[in-house]
Amino acid sequence: MEALKKEKQPHVSIQKTMSGAQAVVQSLIKEGVDLIFGYPGGAIMPVYDALYDVEDELKHILVRHEQGATHAAQGYARASGKVGVCIATSGPGATNLITGIADAQIDSTPMVCITGQVASGLLGTDAFQETDVIGISMPVTKWNYQVTRAEEIPDALAKAFYIARSGKPGPVLVDITKDAQFGNLTFNYNPFKGMRSYVPRPRLDILKVKAAAALINNAKRPLVLFGQGIILSEAESEFKTFIEKAELPSAWTIMGLSALDTDHYLNVGMLGMHGNYAPNKLTNECDVLIAIGMRFDDRITGDLSRYATQAKVIHLEIDPAEVDKNVKTDVAILGDAKESLLALTECIEPNQHKAWLDEFRKLEFEEYEGVIKEELNPSVDELSMGEVIRSINDQTAGDAIVVTDVGQHQMVTCRYAQFKNSTKSMITSGGLGTMGFCLPAAIGAKMAKPQKQVIAIIGDGGFQMTLQELGTIFQTKIPVKIVVLNNEFLGMVRQWQELFFEKRYASTTMVNPDFQQIVAGYGIETKKVTERKALNDAVGKMLTHEGAFFLEVRVAKENNVFPMVPTGASVSEIRLK
C-alpha cells in the first residue's frame, strides 16, 4: 500500500544548482540535442569540461577547423530536419564560424552556434582572443545574443532554438562570457513559447488563396517554380497532389531538388544559369508563374527587366520580406507551404495541359541532342563529370544522400543526379556558394542518417579547402563516400575565362598534390580512376565498402557545363553551347 501511495504522488520538478557551463550542456539535452560539432579553446573550456560528464547523452564530434563545425552542423540539419549545433572558442574560433553561419543564413538552415567569450570585465579591452562576434555575426544571423550572467543561459538557449527552427529557419549565435560559464545558477529550463514582435508563421489569407486559384484555373500555360520551402515545411506530398490535380509542369531550384522525384512526369528540370533548357526558355512564355518556397535570386531570373513580364505571378512564401523583393507578384500567399498548398489544392480545378507539356518535351529533346547525349556518353577518351554521376545513379537507384561542393561538378551533379522517394537527399551550398562546404557537410549528413548512403561529390579545388576534415573521418570512422572529380582547374572560373576572357586562364590552373597519398595517410581506403572501363567497378567498390572510401576520377580538363545563361542575359537567351 505504501508503494502505491508513492506512485500516486504528483511529480515534483527538482531545481538543481549548477555552473553556467553545466547549464549550457543541460539546456542542449533538454532541447533533444544528442550531437554537436566543435573545437575547444580557452574561453569555452568550462563547457567542454561539462561535456566530459555527459558523453553518453551528448556526443561531441571534434572537427579539424571551426568552419568544418558549421558545415557539419548544416549537413546534419539539412539531412535530419533538426537544428544543427556547433561550438567554438572566442576570437579566431568564433570568427572561423562566420562563413558557415552566412551560408546557413542564406540557405535557411536551422543552426545554433555557441561561442565562448572573454570574461565580462574584460569586454572592450582588446583582451587576448577577444573579438566582437556579436557585431561581426549580426548581419548573417537570424538572431544573436551575448550572455554575461550564468542565470541568463537557459532562457537564452531556449530562445535560440525556437528562433532557429521556427518560421523561415536560420542560424543563431549565443556568445557566453567565461565568468558566466563559471558562475552558478538554479537551473530551470522552459522551452521558449514566442514573443509579440516575432510572427514566424503568417496567418493564411483565404481570399488570396482563392485569387491565386482563379488565375491557375484560367491558365493555359502555367509553370510552377519550387524551392527549398517545400522541403523545410515537409510539404512534398501536398506539393505532388497540387501539381497532379491541375497537371502543372514544375521546375526546381537547386535547393528544391529531391522534393519531387526526378522522373516524375511533371518534373521539367532545373532552373537557373546552368539549368535545363526547357524551363528556362519557357519561363518567358508561360501565362501564370507559380513560385513556391523560393526567392527569385539572380541565378534563377537572369535579367530581371526581361523576366516573365508576360505572366501573372503567384508567390507562396513564409517570409514577407521575400515577396516583391525581386519579382513583382500579382497574388502573394503568405504562410507555411504545407498549409498554403492544402488550401490552394482544394480551390483549384482538375485540369490538363497536354499541348503545353509537349512544348517542354520538344525542348528537352533539343537539350538531349545538343548537350546531354555527349555529356553522358562522351565520344572522346576523357571521362566526363556527367558519366560519373550516371554511374552513381545506376548503382544507388536514386536512394542516396548526395552532397556537393561548389563549381562545375555541383552544376553537373544537380543536373544529372537522380532521386526517387528520397527527400532531404540533395545537400549543397546554394546561395553563398561556399567552396569547402561538401566534405564536412557530408560528415554531418552521415551522422544524421547513418543508415543512408552518403556520397560527397567535390572538385579538386574545393576539396583542398577543407581536406583537413579527413582527420575527423579518421578519428570517428564515419563511413562517408568521397568522390573528387579532378580536372586540375578551378573549373567554373576557367569556363568563364574561356567564354568571356579569351582563354586568359589567370590563376585557375591547379597543380595538385597526390591525393591518393594524402588520403591513405588518414587510413581511408582509396582508388583512382583514369579510364572509362574502370569507372563502374570503382564506383561499385566504393559503395559496397564498409568504411569511408575516397574515389578520385580524372575528368576532362576543359569541359564546359551547358546550357548556360550568360550574366546579364535573359533566361530566354540560354545557350546550348
Side-chain angles (χ1 to χ4, degrees), residues 291-363:
I292 306 173
M294 53 87 71
R295 55 189 178 85
F296 289 113
D297 72 278
D298 63 300
R299 286 296 173 103
I300 296 298
T301 65
D303 181 3
L304 276 170
S305 68
R306 294 182 284 165
Y307 181 79
T309 56
Q310 80 294 337
K312 296 291 186 181
V313 178
I314 300 167
H315 196 176
L316 279 66
E317 175 59 47
I318 198 168
D319 183 1
E322 296 294 352
V323 175
D324 294 333
K325 184 174 77 174
N326 295 325
V327 173
K328 180 67 177 175
T329 59
D330 294 277
V331 180
I333 300 175
L334 291 174
D336 177 76
K338 183 189 284 283
E339 182 183 8
S340 298
L341 283 168
L342 280 169
L344 187 56
T345 303
E346 285 186 11
C347 294
I348 63 172
E349 299 168 355
N351 208 338
Q352 292 182 326
H353 296 97
K354 184 179 184 305
W356 176 229
L357 282 167
D358 286 344
E359 293 192 37
F360 286 90
R361 305 297 176 234
K362 291 174 185 176
L363 294 179

Side-chain angles (χ1 to χ4, degrees), residues 44 134 428 542:
I44 198 67
I134 295 297
T428 192
M542 173 185 74

Side-chain angles (χ1 to χ4, degrees), residues 543-554:
L543 295 174
T544 56
H545 183 71
E546 288 188 3
F549 195 99
F550 179 87
L551 177 62
E552 178 186 358
V553 183
R554 294 295 297 270

Side-chain angles (χ1 to χ4, degrees), residues 25-139:
V25 171
Q26 290 303 318
S27 296
L28 294 176
I29 292 172
K30 290 288 186 182
E31 282 290 343
V33 177
D34 56 10
L35 181 69
I36 61 176
F37 304 88
Y39 203 95
I44 198 67
M45 203 174 298
V47 171
Y48 271 86
D49 185 66
L51 284 170
Y52 189 84
D53 295 324
V54 294
E55 289 178 337
D56 293 339
E57 294 179 86
L58 184 56
K59 186 174 183 179
H60 175 272
I61 301 297
L62 176 64
V63 296
R64 295 306 187 263
H65 189 281
E66 291 88 353
Q67 182 180 342
T70 56
H71 294 327
Q74 286 177 274
Y76 178 88
R78 296 267 291 276
S80 68
K82 300 177 182 178
V83 178
V85 180
C86 61
I87 185 169
T89 192
S90 64
T95 60
N96 282 343
L97 299 178
I98 297 299
T99 295
I101 293 172
D103 195 286
Q105 173 78 338
I106 201 166
D107 280 350
S108 302
T109 303
M111 183 164 68
V112 169
C113 306
I114 299 169
T115 54
Q117 184 57 274
V118 301
S120 57
L122 295 175
L123 291 171
T125 68
D126 293 332
F128 177 67
Q129 290 194 335
E130 180 195 359
T131 300
D132 180 11
V133 69
I134 295 297
I136 292 170
S137 66
M138 187 174 293

Side-chain angles (χ1 to χ4, degrees), residues 226 231 252-264 267 270 389 392-394 396-404 410 412-428 452-455 457:
F226 66 95
I231 296 169
W252 38 270
T253 71
I254 64 170
M255 299 297 290
L257 179 53
S258 85
L260 181 68
D261 287 358
T262 44
D263 63 357
H264 191 283
N267 189 332
M270 182 169 98
I389 305 305
I392 292 170
N393 288 336
D394 291 344
T396 61
D399 185 26
I401 294 175
V402 177
V403 189
T404 83
Q410 177 190 34
V412 170
T413 303
C414 290
R415 283 175 53 79
Y416 298 118
Q418 300 288 310
F419 297 97
K420 185 75 173 176
N421 300 320
S422 192
T423 189
K424 293 188 178 73
S425 292
M426 181 64 194
I427 300 173
T428 192
K452 292 277 286 187
Q453 191 75 266
V454 175
I455 305 169
I457 300 175

Side-chain angles (χ1 to χ4, degrees), residues 118-243:
V118 301
S120 57
L122 295 175
L123 291 171
T125 68
D126 293 332
F128 177 67
Q129 290 194 335
E130 180 195 359
T131 300
D132 180 11
V133 69
I134 295 297
I136 292 170
S137 66
M138 187 174 293
V140 293
T141 50
K142 193 175 175 184
W143 179 73
N144 65 9
Y145 185 74
Q146 187 173 74
V147 172
T148 57
R149 296 180 297 114
E151 55 266 32
E152 294 181 281
I153 288 172
D155 287 347
L157 288 175
K159 187 174 181 179
F161 276 90
Y162 174 80
I163 292 175
R165 69 163 68 95
S166 61
K168 181 180 180 180
V172 301
L173 183 143
V174 179
D175 190 46
I176 308 175
T177 60
K178 198 166 185 179
D179 53 322
Q181 296 173 52
F182 277 124
N184 290 322
L185 73 155
T186 301
F187 182 76
N188 183 30
Y189 195 83
N190 297 302
F192 194 76
K193 301 295 185 182
M195 50 189 171
R196 285 187 297 175
S197 60
Y198 175 53
V199 183
R201 178 182 283 192
R203 176 178 288 184
L204 190 65
D205 186 339
I206 194 64
L207 293 179
K208 296 284 189 181
V209 172
K210 290 180 178 179
L215 290 176
I216 295 169
N217 291 337
N218 291 317
K220 303 299 181 186
R221 301 160 72 88
L223 176 58
V224 174
L225 315 181
F226 66 95
Q228 190 186 198
I230 301 291
I231 296 169
L232 293 174
S233 65
E234 298 185 336
E236 294 88 352
S237 177
E238 291 78 6
F239 175 69
K240 184 179 176 183
T241 300
F242 167 68
I243 62 173

